[in-house]
Amino acid sequence: MPHMTAFARNQWYVAAHAHEVGRELLGRTVLGEPLVLYRTEEDGSPVVLHDRCVHRRYPLSEAPTRLDGDRIVCGYHGFTYDTTGTCVYVPGQKRVPRTARVASYPVAERDSLVWVWIGDPALADPETVPRARHLDAPGWVTVRGMEPVDADYGLLVDNLLDLSHETYLHGGYIGTPEVAETPITTEVDEGAGIVRVSRHMDDAECPPFYARSTGITGRIDRWQDIEYHAPCLYVLHSRVAPAGAVPAPDGSDPDGFHTEITYAITPSADGRVYDFWAVSRDWATDDAEVTEFLHKNNRTVVMQDVDALNLLQRTLGGERTGYQELSINIDTGGLAARRILARLVEEGDAAGRRAAR
């Protein structure tokens, strides 16, 4: 078996894009916990419950389970649950057993993402959800999707924090020689659990992803500034401009194109991760062709990562015990992320032990 990154439970994780959650029951698995998501009729707020009926473990996200108002009616024997997970009806008797309830999970909706807290509910503070305001801010247009990956979530964190792979894995889309050749700078805020990795490229080749969407011809200056908020949220602040473009005296950037590329990295189970992705822009916002191009091309890039990580997971599963991994300068951010994730797991375990006393 390949090495598995342990789960930090007392953290917020993205369970869905906001548009995915509605009056249809949606099933997701986060940190090995099966979940069912839906919105209430009254105010549209999201509800997240454990996705197994207490009676015979029928998945509440699967037909013919249905909503009756805001109550879930299990499609197997009719056990009915309110939004708190309390069972309010069982078939054939008036008395509902006291133990007839399913777990209800703290949920927060921020920036068009639905976040869930799998750990100790008493520790769930919605104010600590990391923000990605560009996802639904006025003046920004976002394309998005989600791909499940059959790989350890730590492999996806590694992948996103070392963008030098763009040169090789994503050539013809977002990769050019300069990405791999340009040194990075890395900053780590251990206390806040944030890793920043920056790569600034002057006079670089313009990859097709940007040439076709921005209309830039010729060479570019290109900035990639990553912010990773462990364990779940990753934002790449991307900027491209014609090579040598000078900012205006007021500091504005008339010739630059800013794109925010967001990933939510949500462990589903051992060896499975949800790759929530989004590309947001504040330029050509009314151009439907650009929107469609960015959606199609970014999904292609994501699927190249998915295929590579699926292969890597299978390969690691066949490695001999004690194989040695080699790391170099480009891995600085990924190694820092591993340290932070290990600390979050340790702190969560310690909190769990204290709560159990």
Side-chain angles (χ1 to χ4, degrees):
M1 282 289 289
H3 169 73
M4 294 291 180
T5 310
F7 301 148
R9 295 182 72 82
N10 287 315
Q11 300 289 328
W12 289 102
Y13 291 94
V14 171
H17 291 293
H19 76 270
E20 296 181 285
V21 184
R23 296 291 292 165
E24 296 283 321
L25 297 168
L26 173 68
R28 287 276 150 84
T29 301
V30 176
L31 308 195
E33 298 290 332
L35 310 175
V36 58
L37 295 84
Y38 65 98
R39 289 188 187 276
T40 62
E41 243 176 359
E42 186 182 349
D43 62 3
S45 58
V47 176
V48 182
L49 302 177
H50 192 69
D51 187 24
R52 297 289 184 269
C53 179
V54 293
H55 177 230
R56 289 294 181 265
R57 312 301 293 164
Y58 192 82
L60 296 176
S61 60
E62 296 289 341
T65 300
R66 60 183 173 82
L67 286 172
D68 176 12
D70 289 338
R71 295 173 169 182
I72 289 188
V73 181
C74 177
Y76 194 17
H77 294 99
F79 277 62
T80 302
Y81 304 90
D82 66 16
T83 57
T84 70
T86 303
C87 185
V88 294
Y89 167 81
V90 299
Q93 62 185 61
K94 285 202 167 55
R95 190 184 71 79
V96 176
R98 262 184 319 115
T99 56
R101 59 182 309 117
V102 296
S104 169
Y105 299 89
V107 60
E109 189 165 4
R110 298 282 187 280
D111 309 320
S112 74
L113 297 172
V114 176
W115 296 78
V116 65
W117 183 277
I118 301 296
D120 180 352
L123 301 177
D125 178 2
E127 294 305 309
T128 62
V129 170
R131 302 303 301 267
R133 290 178 171 84
H134 52 270
L135 287 174
D136 61 359
W140 289 80
V141 172
T142 297
V143 295
R144 64 183 79 215
M146 188 279 283
E147 299 298 335
V149 192
D150 290 323
D152 177 54
Y153 83 97
L155 296 182
L156 181 55
V157 175
D158 278 352
N159 170 280
L160 292 172
L161 281 168
D162 171 22
L163 295 181
S164 67
H165 78 273
E166 288 183 356
T167 300
Y168 304 97
L169 194 60
H170 306 310
Y173 291 91
I174 56 176
T176 64
E178 293 83 4
V179 184
E181 291 166 6
T182 304
I184 58 168
T185 60
T186 306
E187 294 175 28
V188 182
D189 185 336
E190 294 273 358
I194 299 173
V195 179
R196 294 182 175 88
V197 179
S198 295
R199 179 184 273 109
H200 295 175
M201 294 158 272
D202 293 330
D203 191 28
E205 184 185 324
C206 187
F209 184 84
Y210 285 113
R212 291 184 199 150
S213 57
T214 65
I216 292 177
T217 56
R219 296 178 73 78
I220 59 169
D221 295 337
R222 185 179 182 187
W223 290 256
Q224 293 178 327
D225 295 302
I226 295 167
E227 273 183 59
Y228 170 59
H229 299 255
C232 190
L233 187 70
Y234 168 104
V235 181
L236 168 60
H237 309 291
S238 172
R239 175 182 175 270
V240 298
V246 179
D250 64 357
S252 65
D253 187 12
D255 297 315
F257 294 83
H258 296 83
T259 310
E260 300 284 352
I261 298 163
T262 308
Y263 287 89
I265 304 161
T266 300
S268 173
D270 280 342
R272 286 187 64 81
V273 58
Y274 294 124
D275 183 352
F276 293 93
W277 60 268
V279 178
S280 309
R281 72 185 193 279
D282 63 356
W283 45 273
T285 52
D286 56 355
D287 191 325
E289 279 188 44
V290 170
T291 298
E292 177 56 30
F293 175 83
L294 290 178
H295 185 274
K296 181 181 175 187
N297 274 260
N298 201 70
R299 185 174 185 276
T300 299
V301 167
V302 168
M303 290 310 298
Q304 289 173 333
D305 281 336
V306 170
D307 290 344
L309 294 175
N310 287 347
L311 173 60
L312 184 56
Q313 182 79 10
R314 292 196 301 272
T315 303
L316 291 173
E319 285 282 8
R320 68 183 186 280
T321 305
Y323 71 90
Q324 286 298 306
E325 185 181 65
L326 173 68
S327 295
I328 58 174
N329 288 345
I330 58 173
D331 302 305
T332 310
L335 295 174
R338 291 183 190 183
R339 286 197 311 274
I340 290 169
L341 289 172
R343 176 176 59 78
L344 293 178
V345 170
E346 201 174 297
E347 289 174 356
D349 289 347
R353 286 193 297 271
R354 285 195 298 272
R357 282 181 197 147

